[in-house]
Amino acid sequence: MVEKRADARRNQETLLDAAAAAFIESGVNVPVRDIATRAGVGVGTIYRHFPTRSDLIVAVYHHQIEACADAGPELLATSATPHLALAAWIDLFVDFLVTKHGLAEALHSDDAAFERLHGLFLERLLPVCARLLEAAAGAGEIRPGVGALELMRGVGNLCIGDRGDPRYDARRMVGFLIEGLRPPRR
Amino acid sequence: MVEKRADARRNQETLLDAAAAAFIESGVNVPVRDIATRAGVGVGTIYRHFPTRSDLIVAVYHHQIEACADAGPELLATSATPHLALAAWIDLFVDFLVTKHGLAEALHSDDAAFERLHGLFLERLLPVCARLLEAAAGAGEIRPGVGALELMRGVGNLCIGDRGDPRYDARRMVGFLIEGLRPPRR
DNA sequence: TTGGTAAACGGAACAGTGTTCCGTATGTTT
DNA sequence: AAACATACGGAACACTGTTCCGTTTACCAA
């Protein structure tokens, strides 16, 4: 493994900061040029460090995604019931998504540029969700046969378009969805 | 009101056909030039007849939207319970959305180009949904205070990304959401 | 210190798409 | 048939993503 040049390392840091700021201000779909200008580098430099938009987004939000993943087992251990743990974890997930403008949309586009983002969610968050689902199903609190992937996609979809719009509260809708997972009443 | 020229009327028809075909083949985000080529006209002609993409989509799907709107009262009159009517109507709505690739996405983008589409849904479908919700709430079958707009946006969102993907069934997720509207169990 | 080399940079250039605009063509009317 | 209004076509512009290469810079060895 060869060491990277000092200027390259410096630029990568600068880019991460610039991207984070740009994402907050203009959403994750902010034009590449804007990020480049903000960082004071050429667009080529961005593509060299982060070949796809996914790579940049992943780099910026990596820690938060990890934190969300880590919270799953913990919630399961400390919650009164698995269903409550599931609901609480989904809440964390929703919080993460709705505070990143455009991220929910990006997550569910089939654009190849978001491949790695997709991959990270699948790799880190999906197993956590699956574990929580399993526990809740095992306790008879939700119907069996609900897939983690479809649940996460559904929840992610529900988060689209929630930008502090008072007429649409993603958390509320997600709450209904999670409630609807319970077994049919007799 | 002045009569339109014959060639203009002819072109409008041709464009509707071409757009409908293009939507089926490539989704509602098919490039304008593709539709123009298909219809054998210049892009200017499209923009003259349909200034925004919304106008074109609305023109193409107008009848189906009307049919969906008309089905609401009918379902309410013939269903065993208001909740069943609501579920059945939402099913129609979902059917409409998932068979039009990209329509659900378009519906929830804030792009100004989809203004009229948004407007038509609000104007025609929203009252129908509100009526069904009211009936169900009145019968105590769902919690009160659920807004028609948020429900329709939620349902629309859940339909995003369902392209016959076996791993994601929008209808199933919507079913859970509607089920979750029921009052909390004691 | 001083080359020499590989790594990294910048930004021009290209590609795809939406949108506008105007010279030209066509239908309509007198 | 002439004159006019309407409509047409597509070039041209704007915006964004992406690639590519001539130039610059950091690093190291002599």
Side-chain angles (χ1 to χ4, degrees):
Chain A
M1 172 82 189
V2 186
E3 279 301 309
K4 276 204 295 201
R5 255 169 56 169
D7 57 344
R9 231 178 309 115
R10 224 176 14 243
N11 268 328
Q12 179 144 344
E13 280 305 312
T14 306
L15 273 173
L16 279 177
D17 291 346
F23 287 170
I24 289 173
E25 193 172 310
S26 313
V28 297
N29 281 304
V30 59
V32 185
R33 282 169 183 74
D34 288 5
I35 303 176
T37 302
R38 209 186 263 264
V41 305
V43 289
T45 302
I46 293 192
Y47 280 97
R48 197 169 316 104
H49 285 283
F50 306 100
T52 73
R53 188 174 291 267
S54 259
D55 295 313
L56 192 47
I57 297 176
V58 164
V60 168
Y61 294 130
H62 183 254
H63 285 96
Q64 286 183 63
I65 295 174
E66 288 300 317
C68 187
D70 291 342
E74 195 167 335
L75 281 169
L76 193 54
T78 62
S79 296
T81 74
H83 188 275
L84 283 175
L86 176 64
W89 185 77
I90 292 286
D91 237 34
L92 285 180
F93 183 53
V94 171
D95 268 334
F96 174 66
L97 285 185
V98 300
T99 53
K100 275 86 196 161
H101 296 176
L103 190 57
E105 286 86 337
L107 203 53
H108 298 83
S109 99
D110 51 2
D111 191 330
F114 295 106
E115 180 101 19
R116 260 182 61 73
L117 183 63
H118 217 92
L120 183 62
F121 270 76
L122 253 53
E123 181 188 319
R124 288 296 285 134
L125 265 24
L126 202 65
V128 177
C129 181
R131 183 106 174 45
L132 286 160
L133 268 176
E134 229 172 81
E141 290 188 307
I142 66 170
R143 8 188 144 202
V146 178
L149 179 61
E150 59 181 350
L151 180 59
M152 289 198 62
R153 279 182 64 167
V155 170
N157 275 354
L158 284 177
C159 291
I160 293 175
D162 183 322
R163 321 191 208 295
D165 188 335
R167 298 169 314 178
Y168 183 71
D169 182 356
R171 283 183 194 75
R172 203 166 128 87
M173 289 298 113
V174 170
F176 290 149
L177 179 63
I178 302 297
E179 204 52 42
L181 294 181
R182 292 186 184 280
R185 328 181 172 196
R186 274 160 299 127
Chain B
M1 174 79 190
V2 188
E3 278 302 309
K4 277 204 296 200
R5 253 168 57 169
D7 55 345
R9 232 178 308 116
R10 225 179 9 248
N11 268 329
Q12 180 144 346
E13 280 305 312
T14 307
L15 273 173
L16 279 177
D17 291 348
F23 287 170
I24 290 174
E25 194 172 310
S26 314
V28 296
N29 281 305
V30 59
V32 185
R33 282 168 181 74
D34 288 5
I35 304 176
T37 302
R38 209 185 262 263
V41 305
V43 287
T45 302
I46 292 192
Y47 280 96
R48 197 169 315 104
H49 286 283
F50 307 100
T52 73
R53 189 174 291 268
S54 258
D55 296 313
L56 192 48
I57 297 175
V58 164
V60 168
Y61 293 130
H62 184 254
H63 285 96
Q64 286 183 64
I65 295 174
E66 288 300 318
C68 187
D70 291 342
E74 195 168 333
L75 281 169
L76 193 53
T78 61
S79 296
T81 76
H83 189 276
L84 283 175
L86 176 64
W89 185 75
I90 291 288
D91 238 35
L92 286 181
F93 183 52
V94 171
D95 268 334
F96 174 65
L97 284 185
V98 300
T99 53
K100 274 87 198 161
H101 295 176
L103 190 57
E105 286 87 339
L107 203 53
H108 298 83
S109 99
D110 50 2
D111 191 330
F114 296 106
E115 179 102 20
R116 261 182 60 71
L117 184 63
H118 217 92
L120 183 63
F121 270 76
L122 254 52
E123 181 188 318
R124 289 295 286 132
L125 264 24
L126 201 66
V128 176
C129 181
R131 183 107 175 41
L132 287 161
L133 268 176
E134 228 173 82
E141 290 187 309
I142 65 170
R143 9 189 143 202
V146 179
L149 180 60
E150 59 180 351
L151 180 59
M152 287 197 64
R153 278 182 64 167
V155 170
N157 274 355
L158 283 176
C159 291
I160 292 175
D162 183 323
R163 320 191 210 295
D165 188 334
R167 297 168 316 178
Y168 183 70
D169 182 355
R171 284 183 193 76
R172 202 166 128 89
M173 289 299 113
V174 171
F176 291 149
L177 179 63
I178 302 297
E179 203 53 41
L181 294 180
R182 293 187 184 278
R185 331 182 171 194
R186 277 162 299 127

